[in-house]
Every structure is written in structure tokens, then in C-alpha cells.
Amino acid sequence: MTYPRYTPLAQSLPSTVPFVGPETQERQRGAPFRARLGANENVFGPSPRAVAAMQAAAQDIWMYGDAENHDLRHALADHHGIRPDNIMVGEGIDGLLGYLVRLMVGPGDAVVTSEGAYPTFNYHVAGFGGTLHKVPYEGDHENPAALFAKAAEVDAKLAYLANPDNPMGSWHSGAEITAAMDALPEGCLLVLDEAYVECAPEGTALPLPADDPRVIRMRTFSKVYGMAGARVGYAIGAPDLIAAFNKVRNHFGMNRAAQAGALAALADTDWLTHVTAEISTARDRITAIARDNGLTPLPSATNFVTIDCGGDGDFARAVLSALIERGIFVRMPFAAPQDRCIRLSCGTADDLDAFALALPDALKASRG
Ligand SMILES: Cc1ncc(COP(=O)(O)O)c(C=O)c1O
């Protein structure tokens, strides 16, 4: 009988999934969720112009997409006032993180991140055999100074920082990160994940030139552009680093309809303004609901609000389970002490009505 001959690295990997998807949870619970507020998707949806472009492109789906993402890269370059050779388009930030780690991290190579930060990065590092070193959050913020000091200590090749941060919704100004980068050791690349930056206050994006060799920035159409299912993200960096992705990426990995949709979404600035306003209204409503129930909402620069449930991780996990039982899909931070919180994505008025209705009951059940 034959058998698969896994590499020693693959054999050593645990069967982890960074995030169990809501569809999986719905199958497990045998019922759909009433409100889908756990994955930081954008319930306000994509630009109608993006939808039309994807519908039109559906006719042409027999063709592979443009392997160079030429039009989208050029449009993004114009949008950011940089050059197309500063941009790599890929299958969401998650896909691009995988390529980046594959390019830079081999077995035993050191990498740094924050304890409890975005886990898909960690998943890729483990998948290529890297060694992950973690620093704690400071309050509920990622701590760039501690991150870069740890990077120097362990000779890290990559330092991962999300700004704004998931799961806490906290943020630093771009100027603070720039200043902290003076301590970034030579040979360590800052992976700055700016997935939520379009909903953050002015001045949050890193104000450095795209050619700066110390940093690669990650952006996505999954959040404020409302296209998570299309899987379109992009990296901004120095041209030689961007070109290196061509050695490992899946050249025909981009969906043709998604390419057309992203191009149309980028051009529809009115829709972006509309969505940003909806997100801001929803953040205020979540904040109010949390306070009405005696909980502490944390300030957010993202399309979600993290809510301190006022107890320990076990209590927050109980609240989370009780909400899920009541049909409200939410998630929570993985690591203590941030796991005293639950995390709620911005929803429609209807979604948040459902949350407002379920929360008092869920809290009662968790306390009881
Ligand atoms: C910090 C952060 N980075 C990346 C992603 C995923 O982005 P994408 O959909 O482009 O893979 C998420 C999604 O929740 C996120 O929170």
C-alpha cells in the first residue's frame, strides 16, 4: 500500500486553522447565524460599480486573469502616488503574508510578533519552520519599541505589526511608528499590516516612501472595500523586494472577476465615503450598546469594536458562547489579558438590533 511521504516539517505541524469560519460554525450548530459580526467583514458590501464590473467579467471567466495584475497595479500606483513596481497584488493579505514568509523564513529563522496578534501570520511562519518570538501588548496596544528590541535580541528577519491592530482595534500614528523604526535592527524587515487603515484617523498610515527598504506594507480590499470573498490584497514596498514575489507566487492565482471588481472599487470614492460613514455610525452604536450593558467598549480605528466584558478570559468566553448560541457570530482575542474582551464587527442597524437584544440575556446566562 502506498502512503504520502510528508516532509519532516509538514509532519511536525499541528492541524491548526487560524480561524474557524462562520459557515463551519453554522454547520456545527445546525442553524444559520442571525447576525454575522465575527470576521470583520464589511456588511455594507462592495461598491455597486464593483459588483457591475464583476458581473460583466463573469462572461470572460473562461480566461485566466492577467498574471501581472497590470491594470490594478497601475491604478493602485496612481491612487498612492507611487510606481507600479512598488506594488504586488495577491490573494488577500493572507496570501501575500504566505509568500513573504516563504521568501524570507526558513527552518529555525527568527521572527517577531505580539502575543495575541493576527494569527494567520504565525500560521505561515510555522508552516515554513520559522521560530516565532512574541512580546506582550502594552495596555491594549501593540508595542513597536518592544517588538523591535526583541527583533534585535533574537536577530529576527521579520517583525510583524498591524496598525490599526486586530483584535484590539487600537492604533498608533504613522509618525510614532516611523520614530520607533529607528530601533529596527538591520536585516529585519517590518511587515506593517494596514488592513484597516482606511477606517483609521488621518495620520495613521505610515508616512514613509514606498521605496524604504525597511518596511513592506500590506493593504486589502477585504475590509473597507467590502470584498473579502474576492480575495484581493496588495503589498507596497521597495521594487527589488516586490519583484522577489515573482519567484514564489502563484502567477495565475488572482480571479479575473475580482481583478475587475477591485479596479472599479478603487475608482468609486463616493462609495468609500458612504461605507466609512456607516462604519462610524455602527461603531458608535456598538459602543452605546456595550455601555448600556455595563461593559467597556475600547476605542477603535477599525471596522470592529472590542468590548471589555469586565471579567477574565473564562467570563468573556462564556459571553461569546452565549451570544453564538443566540445566533450572533462574534469572536474574541486569543491571549490573556486581551481575552477579557469580545470583538464585534460593524453591522447593519438590523444586525446591531439583534446584538442589542441578545446581549443582556447572554450576560445574564454567563453570570448565572
Ligand atoms: C490584521 C489583518 N490582516 C489581514 C487580514 C486578512 O486580510 P485579507 O482578507 O486581505 O487576507 C485581516 C482580516 O481579518 C486582518 O485583521
Side-chain angles (χ1 to χ4, degrees):
M1 202 177 74
T2 190
Y3 54 92
R5 297 201 292 171
Y6 298 111
T7 63
L9 175 58
Q11 276 175 22
S12 75
L13 293 174
S15 301
T16 51
V17 177
F19 294 103
V20 176
E23 288 80 5
T24 306
Q25 294 186 41
E26 286 178 331
R27 283 187 288 273
Q28 283 164 356
R29 67 194 287 274
F33 284 119
R34 163 75 186 79
R36 181 166 165 136
L37 302 174
N40 300 341
E41 295 154 325
N42 175 358
V43 297
F44 308 107
S47 148
R49 283 160 63 179
V51 173
M54 289 189 277
Q55 278 166 343
Q59 310 268 9
D60 296 330
I61 209 78
W62 58 273
M63 289 186 265
Y64 291 107
D66 172 13
E68 294 186 350
N69 297 289
H70 175 277
D71 295 354
L72 183 55
R73 278 179 37 246
H74 280 252
L76 285 166
D78 287 348
H79 178 76
H80 289 294
I82 56 179
R83 296 187 314 277
D85 65 0
N86 290 123
I87 296 172
M88 177 53 63
V89 169
E91 303 91 327
I93 292 179
D94 287 356
L96 288 163
L97 287 175
Y99 294 139
L100 181 69
V101 173
R102 181 171 170 199
L103 277 172
M104 312 228 1
V105 178
D109 286 340
V111 168
V112 292
T113 187
S114 306
E115 178 71 37
Y118 188 60
T120 307
F121 176 71
N122 306 357
Y123 171 82
H124 288 307
V125 170
F128 290 102
T131 303
L132 206 58
H133 299 268
K134 297 179 182 173
V135 299
Y137 278 60
E138 186 183 36
D140 288 320
H141 287 72
E142 290 202 54
N143 183 343
L147 206 57
F148 303 156
K150 176 60 86 175
E153 181 193 322
V154 300
D155 189 21
K157 287 182 153 180
L158 295 176
Y160 174 86
L161 173 66
N163 191 49
D165 173 61
N166 178 14
M168 301 314 286
S170 55
W171 70 103
H172 297 280
S173 71
E176 284 166 338
I177 293 181
T178 305
M181 281 172 66
D182 286 346
L184 188 69
E186 201 150 318
C188 179
L189 179 71
L190 169 60
V191 186
L192 186 64
D193 185 334
E194 295 183 326
Y196 300 96
V197 80
E198 295 90 351
C199 2
E202 197 69 28
T204 304
L206 192 73
L208 292 176
D211 283 338
D212 193 313
R214 297 172 299 167
V215 58
I216 187 163
R217 263 163 276 192
M218 299 286 178
R219 298 283 184 98
T220 184
F221 283 85
S222 298
K223 304 299 174 187
V224 86
Y225 290 99
M227 293 178 53
R231 312 305 303 128
V232 187
Y234 58 101
I236 301 174
D240 53 345
L241 175 58
I242 291 299
F245 279 77
N246 288 322
K247 297 179 182 178
V248 298
R249 74 187 176 99
N250 181 5
H251 286 260
F252 291 93
M254 295 304 297
N255 178 307
R256 190 177 184 88
Q259 288 171 325
L263 198 56
L266 192 65
D268 194 349
T269 48
D270 288 348
W271 186 257
L272 206 67
T273 307
H274 157 76
V275 167
T276 312
E278 293 279 12
I279 287 173
S280 169
T281 304
R283 276 196 310 229
D284 290 348
R285 174 97 198 275
I286 297 170
T287 300
I289 296 169
R291 287 203 180 116
D292 286 349
N293 285 274
L295 308 181
T296 309
L298 305 185
S300 166
T302 62
N303 71 342
F304 61 86
V305 178
T306 300
I307 300 174
D308 185 340
C309 293
D312 60 4
D314 287 342
F315 180 65
R317 273 183 286 279
V319 176
L320 182 103
S321 307
L323 284 169
I324 286 175
E325 268 168 37
R326 287 158 181 78
I328 313 293
F329 167 51
V330 283
R331 286 196 177 127
M332 63 182 287
F334 297 107
Q338 282 75 31
D339 69 351
R340 70 190 192 283
C341 301
I342 57 169
R343 191 200 68 187
L344 213 89
S345 310
C346 289
T348 61
D350 245 25
D351 291 332
L352 299 184
D353 285 349
F355 172 60
L357 197 68
L359 184 60
D361 213 23
L363 287 170
K364 205 165 142 203
S366 313
R367 286 181 183 128

